[in-house]
Amino acid sequence: MNETLTHTPYDGSSQPFTIGLKPLDPHEWIEIDGDLENYLAEKDRLYGTLPEKVFVAEADTGEAQREILDALVAYLPERFPETYRRIGDAIEIPALGRRIVLNAAETPPLRTASLLVPEDLILMRKGDNGWRLAAGSLCFPSSWSLTEKFGKPLHEIHEPVPGFGPGTRPAELIERMFDRLQGQAVERFNWSLQAGDALYHPISQRQRIDRATMQPSKFSEDEIAAQAFIRVERQTLRKLPKSQDILFTIRIYLNPLSMLGKHPERATLAASFAGQLAGLEQAQLDYKGLSADRDRLVAVLSQMAGAS
């Protein structure tokens, strides 16, 4: 759980259910902070207990996986020399007592890469049906299932997202953007609200449909601000120069909603957040699982905004 509000896309800088891509300084590709140990420990746990649910790969993606690993190995010790050291065929994280062997024959390179950073790593590859999910390490899904999306093209991956399904203009724009992505990396942000601080937060399409139909509350009748966590996704996209595949990274930030009330700009942030929640359409609320709780959350945020 993060102790500061690193990113606040609900402040109006990003709008829900928009593509919202912005150029990314390559120097700021990966974000490392004091929560690195928690993220890597959780990845260890998930690889040990649910390996088939958090890692997938097509058989012919080995070279592209290696390209991702090589890019991280070149980037991390230079960008974060106080955290990472390259020692022979390994990367060391001395503060955490970790040593990651880079050429372990039994370990897919993408899995090795995933144990270096808090981000999830998804490999997208162009085929006859567009860009598809060809490999991925996804330990921290935000209400989706890696195994359900594996091998599917973008327009099918985004089918549950209101306004982004097959044949929609946003779906066409995303496909075109992937085609045109060259040397410039890009980033975007997304937010959601969840009960509790679980980083591993999957949901199947069947569960999503049931949730939209029954619209259950995520929270008990107790104080909602004590139960709700803000989940922010920082997503980056960059084209790999050798394979021409695209690497999609996802970094999760989790903060208690109550932390927003302690922020020096809480009035502005809470008012903007309340406005974004209030402005969601029914299908968007269903998708985010907030249909039953929107009014309570808006009331809490409005109270924060009005507090002196």
Side-chain angles (χ1 to χ4, degrees):
M1 183 180 67
N2 305 99
E3 297 181 356
T4 60
L5 296 174
T6 306
H7 299 291
T8 57
Y10 40 82
D11 61 5
S13 58
S14 300
Q15 294 300 317
F17 297 95
T18 61
I19 298 173
L21 290 171
K22 300 175 183 177
L24 171 65
D25 179 352
H27 189 65
E28 304 303 329
W29 175 33
I30 300 295
E31 295 190 340
I32 301 298
D33 56 27
D35 283 322
L36 178 61
E37 183 173 12
N38 294 334
Y39 284 76
L40 297 186
E42 181 65 355
K43 287 187 178 187
D44 288 341
R45 184 187 74 81
L46 291 165
Y47 276 134
T49 57
L50 303 169
E52 74 286 350
K53 293 186 177 181
V54 298
F55 186 86
V56 295
E58 294 179 357
D60 62 347
T61 58
E63 291 186 8
Q65 291 185 46
R66 171 59 60 176
E67 190 176 2
I68 293 169
L69 177 57
D70 289 346
L72 284 169
V73 167
Y75 171 83
L76 291 169
E78 180 179 352
R79 175 65 180 85
F80 304 103
E82 71 285 357
T83 303
Y84 297 93
R85 293 190 311 202
R86 174 73 186 268
I87 307 292
D89 67 346
I91 288 282
E92 292 185 353
I93 310 176
L96 306 185
R98 284 180 174 263
R99 184 175 186 272
I100 299 94
V101 177
L102 302 175
N103 300 303
E106 70 280 5
T107 305
L110 188 63
R111 177 166 167 168
T112 300
S114 73
L115 294 175
L116 295 172
V117 294
E119 281 82 356
D120 283 325
L121 307 172
I122 304 294
L123 180 72
M124 303 296 295
R125 173 165 289 181
K126 185 67 179 285
D128 294 338
N129 200 22
W131 291 89
R132 71 181 185 279
L133 198 165
S137 167
L138 184 78
C139 291
F140 311 133
S142 295
S143 297
W144 59 289
S145 165
L146 179 63
T147 54
E148 283 188 353
K149 305 297 185 183
F150 181 41
K152 290 186 176 181
L154 280 169
H155 62 269
E156 292 184 20
I157 289 173
H158 290 136
E159 186 170 5
V161 184
F164 282 75
T168 63
R169 177 165 172 74
E172 294 173 359
L173 288 174
I174 291 173
E175 190 77 25
R176 203 174 307 152
M177 180 273 296
F178 270 58
D179 287 339
R180 295 175 178 174
L181 189 66
Q182 293 300 330
Q184 175 63 65
V186 294
E187 70 176 348
R188 70 181 297 271
F189 292 89
N190 190 23
W191 61 260
S192 57
L193 287 156
Q194 68 179 56
D197 61 352
L199 283 166
Y200 181 63
H201 199 266
I203 187 172
S204 69
Q205 180 60 9
R206 180 71 258 174
Q207 290 172 319
R208 186 183 299 282
I209 292 171
D210 289 345
R211 186 176 69 180
T213 302
M214 295 181 286
Q215 299 183 357
S217 173
K218 290 184 178 183
F219 310 103
S220 72
E221 293 301 317
D222 298 329
E223 176 58 43
I224 196 168
Q227 307 169 56
F229 278 72
I230 306 169
R231 187 182 185 99
V232 169
E233 295 176 73
R234 177 186 182 256
Q235 305 171 357
T236 78
L237 290 163
R238 59 183 293 178
K239 182 162 282 188
L240 301 171
K242 293 180 182 178
S243 65
Q244 292 295 291
D245 294 334
I246 287 177
L247 174 62
F248 175 43
T249 75
I250 312 166
R251 170 66 193 271
I252 301 299
Y253 291 89
L254 272 175
N255 295 105
L257 180 60
S258 57
M259 185 178 291
L260 190 61
K262 303 172 185 178
H263 195 279
E265 298 178 15
R266 63 183 176 276
T268 300
L269 290 175
S272 177
F273 206 163
Q276 289 201 0
L277 265 176
L280 293 179
E281 300 173 358
Q282 187 60 53
Q284 296 170 336
L285 286 170
D286 288 344
Y287 178 78
K288 286 185 175 287
L290 296 172
S291 297
D293 302 304
R294 191 253 300 271
D295 292 347
R296 291 174 67 195
L297 290 162
V298 168
V300 167
L301 289 164
S302 296
Q303 185 177 17
M304 286 183 186
S308 58

